[in-house]
Amino acid sequence: MAKIWIESYGCSASFADSEIISGIISKEGHKLVNNIEDSDLNIIVTCSVKDATVGKMINRINKLKNKPLVIAGCLPKTERKIIEKISPDASLLGPNSLINTNQVIRSTLAGRKKVELLDMDKTKSYLPKIRLNKVVGIIEIGKGCINKCTFCQTKISKGELYSYRIGDIIRQIKNEINGDCKEIWLTSTDNGCYGFDIDCNLPKLINEITKIKNSFMVRIGMMNPMHLPKICSELVDSYANKKVFKFIHVPVQSGNDEVLRHMRRGHTSKVFTDIVKKFRSSFKKCTISTDIIVGFPTESDEQFFETIKLLKETNPDIVNLSKYSRRPGTESFKLEQLSSHEIKRRSKIASELVNKISFENNKKWIGWKGEILIDEKNENGVKGRNFAYKPVFINNHYIKLGKILNVKITNCTNHCLIGSIN
């Protein structure tokens, strides 16, 4: 039996995979260590969504390869040649091959490289797991997507849409809640198209989850906008349940419809604005999160400023801003790229606006009183989430995870609210 170090990067689905890998190897009898110096074997669960992210992964792989190494997650499927050049002896484990985790570990410990990249996991619902956060349960509801975005590598690693059955998801959530979990995150490559392959949809899943009698909250993860018009009314109704955080993550990517066509997003900017209006009219303090890419190869300066205009019109609370980076294997990789100077210029303009909008939105919460669920601790204090999934910082080191507090918001930054116990 070995002592194993695991580190993870990327989206919540990647962290869900990390929890499963931890559960599988612990059940096998291996020990998870908290200090990398103590390990016999290292595992890194990777992300390949951006050039900068890949650079970070390569740096970490170089530092971890002094011991037997398993490279898991998206990178082995999207950038295999690069990582094998850096670490030719490392074993590779794909995001849909977790059922073979123990075989990969055994082989790697014996000094034999093993590659498991085929899509073997029909569902991950029955695989053991160890939660990274004892009060947060990350529940993967499916894998893959039905999108054909020209800039995205995710489909290369995750494949076509495969939705998990509601019964399997419900059983997993009940197990999490019985283990003192207070916050459930629903994640997948794209929650918006959940169930389209099994004659189901996301609102139906949410309605079944909220029937579970225990006390808990549900955070719905990323939903691509092209799928939401057909389920939007049902979705809003399902969000009305008090167990659902009033939080939506809908990545628009651009405010210009021609750029969206070149990205092959399958939606227009109006689809996004209509969704925002629908949710805000139903839930006054709903948190809106979106993603923006600046500097797509075909984006003109005028088209970029249409994105700026969209941000000013919709005032999203959270914007995940990315500078375009070409990803191998994608259609847009072949297009003539904008200069890095121009991309940085546009990114700076967008970033300054995003910070201003976020701060102004957060200022509106000052004076609010209500309950928060404590779900995070750090060296400065604790953070909790209110009904709109707004992060609230409390300067107190002694509050336990999972506790519900009544607070008053006294201040804010552009990233979080600051509160005091009421």
Side-chain angles (χ1 to χ4, degrees):
M1 297 298 103
K3 291 181 286 186
I4 298 177
W5 166 267
I6 301 179
E7 58 184 64
S8 310
Y9 300 89
C11 64
S12 54
S14 183
F15 282 94
D17 285 350
S18 176
E19 291 184 338
I20 291 171
I21 291 170
S22 297
I24 290 172
I25 62 180
S26 294
K27 191 173 182 180
E28 180 78 355
H30 301 297
K31 180 181 179 182
L32 298 173
V33 295
N34 297 319
N35 189 335
I36 194 170
E37 303 300 325
D38 298 332
S39 69
D40 301 314
L41 177 143
N42 298 326
I43 299 176
I44 179 170
V45 183
T46 60
C47 173
S48 65
V49 69
K50 303 175 189 176
D51 261 351
T53 308
V54 172
K56 184 176 183 179
M57 299 297 96
I58 290 171
N59 181 54
R60 290 305 301 158
I61 290 168
N62 273 321
K63 291 184 178 180
L64 295 170
K65 68 180 183 180
N66 61 326
K67 296 179 181 180
L69 176 63
V70 176
I71 304 173
C74 290
L75 205 57
K77 293 195 75 172
T78 59
E79 306 275 7
R80 180 174 174 177
K81 289 182 179 179
I82 291 176
I83 60 176
E84 287 188 324
K85 184 177 181 180
I86 299 163
S87 184
D89 298 326
S91 292
L92 309 180
L93 180 65
N96 296 325
S97 310
L98 301 191
I99 196 169
N100 295 318
T101 297
N102 281 329
Q103 295 94 308
V104 171
I105 297 295
R106 291 190 204 109
S107 182
T108 308
L109 286 168
R112 299 187 303 272
K113 174 179 180 175
K114 190 167 180 61
V115 176
E116 292 288 352
L117 298 178
L118 297 178
D119 292 347
M120 302 296 292
D121 303 327
K122 289 297 182 183
T123 177
K124 300 177 185 177
S125 302
Y126 293 97
L127 296 175
K129 62 186 291 189
I130 295 176
R131 291 200 301 272
L132 296 167
N133 183 327
K134 69 177 184 178
V135 299
V136 176
I138 308 175
I139 306 297
E140 198 163 9
I141 64 174
K143 59 187 179 183
C145 68
I146 57 177
N147 310 327
K148 296 180 180 179
C149 304
T150 59
F151 58 85
C152 184
Q153 258 191 347
T154 303
K155 191 147 190 173
I156 299 172
S157 59
K158 297 295 181 74
E160 296 292 336
L161 174 66
Y162 185 94
S163 303
Y164 301 161
R165 300 285 174 177
I166 286 182
D168 294 338
I169 296 168
I170 294 296
R171 278 190 288 274
Q172 190 176 358
I173 291 173
K174 286 181 176 179
N175 286 338
E176 299 282 0
I177 293 170
N178 290 337
D180 294 327
C181 182
K182 302 296 182 184
E183 192 173 299
I184 297 295
W185 294 0
L186 299 187
T187 187
S188 67
T189 310
D190 179 2
N191 286 345
C193 59
Y194 167 79
F196 288 7
D197 56 329
I198 56 172
D199 193 27
C200 190
N201 62 32
L202 183 62
K204 290 177 182 177
L205 172 61
I206 296 171
N207 290 338
E208 290 303 312
I209 291 171
T210 53
K211 288 177 184 177
I212 300 173
K213 294 181 179 180
N214 306 61
S215 177
F216 63 97
M217 294 295 293
V218 182
R219 188 199 77 170
I220 314 301
M222 189 274 287
M223 304 172 283
N224 269 311
M226 67 282 284
H227 308 304
L228 298 192
K230 65 193 293 186
I231 62 170
C232 196
S233 294
E234 285 182 82
L235 189 64
V236 168
D237 290 344
S238 68
Y239 262 72
N241 191 287
K242 64 181 181 180
K243 291 182 178 179
V244 181
F245 284 115
K246 305 308 179 274
F247 165 91
I248 61 167
H249 178 193
V250 181
V252 64
Q253 303 298 9
S254 174
N256 177 266
D257 288 348
E258 186 176 358
V259 172
L260 289 172
R261 285 194 295 273
H262 293 160
M263 290 179 170
R264 204 175 290 167
R265 288 291 287 162
H267 67 85
T268 62
S269 58
K270 185 178 183 300
V271 167
F272 174 74
T273 56
D274 286 348
I275 293 165
V276 170
K277 288 175 183 177
K278 180 75 171 174
F279 270 83
R280 283 204 173 127
S281 66
S282 301
F283 312 108
K284 187 177 179 180
K285 284 188 173 291
C286 177
T287 296
I288 308 294
S289 175
T290 193
D291 299 357
I292 294 292
I293 295 174
V294 298
F296 187 78
T298 65
E299 180 189 71
S300 68
D301 206 38
E302 182 180 347
Q303 291 169 333
F304 162 69
F305 278 100
E306 286 191 43
T307 297
I308 294 298
K309 181 181 177 182
L310 178 73
L311 291 174
K312 290 178 179 178
E313 288 176 352
T314 56
N315 288 309
D317 300 84
I318 301 166
V319 179
N320 303 304
L321 184 65
S322 297
K323 296 189 286 288
Y324 174 80
S325 59
R326 63 200 308 198
R327 306 304 305 125
T330 63
E331 286 188 41
S332 63
F333 182 86
K334 303 171 185 177
L335 297 175
E336 184 178 351
Q337 310 296 299
L338 299 181
S339 71
S340 59
H341 173 78
E342 179 60 21
I343 293 175
K344 287 178 182 177
R345 184 187 72 85
R346 295 180 190 181
S347 179
K348 185 175 184 294
I349 293 169
S351 181
E352 288 174 354
L353 175 62
V354 165
N355 287 334
K356 180 181 178 182
I357 291 172
S358 298
F359 185 64
E360 291 300 317
N361 283 345
N362 283 347
K363 278 171 61 177
K364 296 174 184 177
W365 284 89
I366 294 176
W368 177 84
K369 298 177 182 179
E371 291 183 343
I372 63 170
L373 170 64
I374 302 300
D375 64 1
E376 184 181 340
K377 274 193 170 189
N378 58 41
E379 65 276 8
N380 299 314
V382 297
K383 279 186 181 179
R385 303 282 180 167
N386 68 6
F387 71 92
Y389 202 67
K390 278 288 186 180
V392 181
F393 172 75
I394 304 292
N395 185 16
N396 188 313
H397 295 272
Y398 303 103
I399 302 170
K400 293 182 178 180
L401 288 174
K403 188 173 180 61
I404 295 176
L405 297 178
N406 278 295
V407 301
K408 178 181 179 180
I409 304 305
T410 58
N411 208 339
C412 71
T413 69
N414 58 323
H415 295 298
C416 75
L417 309 180
I418 299 169
S420 60
I421 300 174
N422 197 23

